[in-house]
Amino acid sequence: MAKRVSITLLAALTLSAALSATPAHARTQQPGSGLGSALGLGLGLENCTAGACHFDVPPGTYDVRVRLGGEAAASTGISGETRRTLLAETPTAAGEPVTRSFTVNVRTPEGEPTGPDGTAGLDLVVGGSAPALTGIRVTPAAGRHTRQIFLVGDSTVCDQPGDPYSGWGQQLPQYLRKGASVANYADSGESTVTYLADPRLFATVQPLIRKGDLVLIQLAHNDKQTDEPTYRANLETLVAGVREKGGRPVLVTPIVRRWFNGDGTLNNGTALLVNGLGVDHPAVTRSVAAAHGVPLIDLTTRTKALVESLGVEGSKALYLYDEKRDNTHTSARGATAYAGLVRDELLAQGLVPERLVR
């Protein structure tokens, strides 16, 4: 969705002047809260210019309804905030516009929790090979009806700030419909040790968790020197902390590194996240999930199968091998594929209802 062109403005809705008067102390990151919730605010195309829309809303959770297409054939996608893919590129036939809706999390910082604040409000980018946005409406999400999915993870999950990097959590929103949003609190460089120690991370996430919210936990890549008892205990602490708030923890084994053996397999410690102390991170994660009755997404097994099926050459495009000789971090293509695997597991295990999944 790199290409940006002028978007057709076919309608304009009145922006409430009261929004700009919202005092800073009234802003909160609780889903569906803030001035917009009180006013039942609806914001539209008057907030859009060529290729982009900005909505001056406080942190919270918002439903976005877009109308795509027009008189000519078009193909339009929507991204937002820190490069999150919110709606995959959607083709429309000439004279046959379509309406799509999604729910988006607006927070500060808008990307990685230890990163810069970013731009206040909600920012959307209109892209695609032939973009045509002909209508848009932003309204506060009804908190009790919105399913929030929090992500706790590292650089392979986070909202990466710049090309060519992309975390799978950054691509997950495109697989969800209105009524489910992703609050990605993954952060580059974090281990289970640092995620619990830094007040900007789990100590910030935990108070936001509501009863029934999903919290997906994938931490392993940076636990290079974490011994097994500590790693296990840290996962158990995260699980207990989520449950304390009424949330539903989901343990996710780490994505593989693209590190092939001569026989075309990934059956080695580097690829399968066995650290320098011999700690098998996926195995420990599976063990903790089984011991504590926690749903498990075995992303290690799923990504291993995909990478091996593509082979040494075909799998390069999933990672940043060509750009950076990087066999750990994913490209947008790889992150999108891996987010699709997570979507499949959320659906198969009944963690997210089918009506909320694309």
Side-chain angles (χ1 to χ4, degrees):
M1 287 193 281
K3 183 178 179 181
R4 304 182 187 180
V5 301
S6 295
I7 52 179
T8 307
L9 304 185
L10 297 184
L13 302 176
T14 302
L15 173 62
S16 173
L19 180 63
S20 61
T22 309
H25 66 77
R27 298 186 178 188
T28 173
Q29 299 205 66
Q30 289 295 340
S33 63
L35 180 68
S37 181
L39 296 180
L41 192 63
L43 307 176
L45 278 171
E46 77 282 1
N47 295 277
C48 300
T49 57
C53 303
H54 173 76
F55 302 91
D56 186 17
V57 297
T61 306
Y62 295 88
D63 292 333
V64 180
R65 180 176 177 174
V66 294
R67 184 175 174 84
L68 309 177
E71 294 182 1
S75 188
T76 313
I78 307 290
S79 62
E81 296 297 270
T82 305
R83 303 176 59 243
R84 304 177 211 162
T85 303
L86 301 170
L87 185 67
E89 187 163 345
T90 303
T92 49
E96 297 181 13
V98 300
T99 299
R100 296 287 185 269
S101 297
F102 54 87
T103 300
V104 60
N105 170 259
V106 177
R107 62 182 182 272
T108 302
E110 69 175 35
E112 295 181 86
T114 64
D117 284 354
T119 305
L122 170 61
D123 287 282
L124 302 176
V125 175
V126 184
S129 57
L133 174 68
T134 52
I136 187 168
R137 182 174 175 82
V138 175
T139 55
R144 66 183 181 277
H145 298 302
T146 300
R147 188 167 299 233
Q148 192 92 313
I149 301 174
F150 289 91
L151 303 182
V152 168
D154 53 34
S155 59
T156 66
V157 184
C158 75
D159 287 349
Q160 289 280 0
D163 286 326
Y165 295 88
S166 183
W168 63 254
Q170 201 163 19
Q171 301 297 333
L172 186 60
Q174 66 186 292
Y175 292 114
L176 300 172
R177 300 179 186 273
K178 174 185 172 183
S181 71
V182 175
N184 190 353
Y185 283 84
D187 196 72
S188 293
E190 305 301 342
S191 65
T192 57
V193 176
T194 60
Y195 205 93
L196 286 167
D198 192 324
R200 295 169 295 180
L201 299 171
F202 193 64
T204 295
V205 174
Q206 191 187 27
L208 303 176
I209 300 170
R210 304 170 307 179
K211 184 177 181 180
D213 284 343
L214 293 180
V215 183
L216 277 57
I217 302 166
Q218 186 216 280
L219 287 166
H221 279 85
N222 299 301
D223 281 280
K224 298 180 178 68
Q225 296 301 317
T226 307
D227 61 49
E228 184 168 335
T230 301
Y231 184 67
R232 181 182 297 273
N234 288 344
L235 290 180
E236 291 172 337
T237 297
L238 290 165
V239 165
V242 172
R243 285 177 166 169
E244 180 184 329
K245 294 297 182 179
R248 302 177 65 194
V250 179
L251 289 173
V252 183
T253 62
I255 67 169
V256 294
R257 294 190 179 98
R258 185 190 160 278
W259 198 268
F260 281 92
N261 297 324
D263 63 359
T265 68
L266 301 179
N267 297 322
N268 60 78
T270 299
L272 300 180
L273 281 294
V274 178
N275 76 7
L277 302 179
V279 179
D280 186 330
H281 293 105
V284 175
T285 303
R286 296 180 191 113
S287 174
V288 172
H292 295 276
V294 179
L296 174 77
I297 295 178
D298 196 338
L299 202 52
T300 307
T301 297
R302 296 293 301 271
T303 55
K304 177 178 185 291
L306 177 57
V307 171
E308 287 180 343
S309 72
L310 292 172
V312 174
E313 291 301 318
S315 62
K316 287 179 179 179
L318 298 180
Y319 291 82
L320 297 176
Y321 179 84
D322 291 330
E323 299 89 345
K324 303 285 185 178
R325 293 298 187 267
D326 186 334
N327 292 305
T328 297
H329 297 97
T330 49
S331 63
R333 177 177 172 180
T336 300
Y338 290 175
L341 297 178
V342 173
R343 180 271 317 271
D344 292 346
E345 286 296 317
L346 291 173
L347 188 58
Q349 296 187 39
L351 297 170
V352 176
E354 188 173 355
R355 61 182 173 81
L356 297 181
V357 177
R358 294 191 195 278

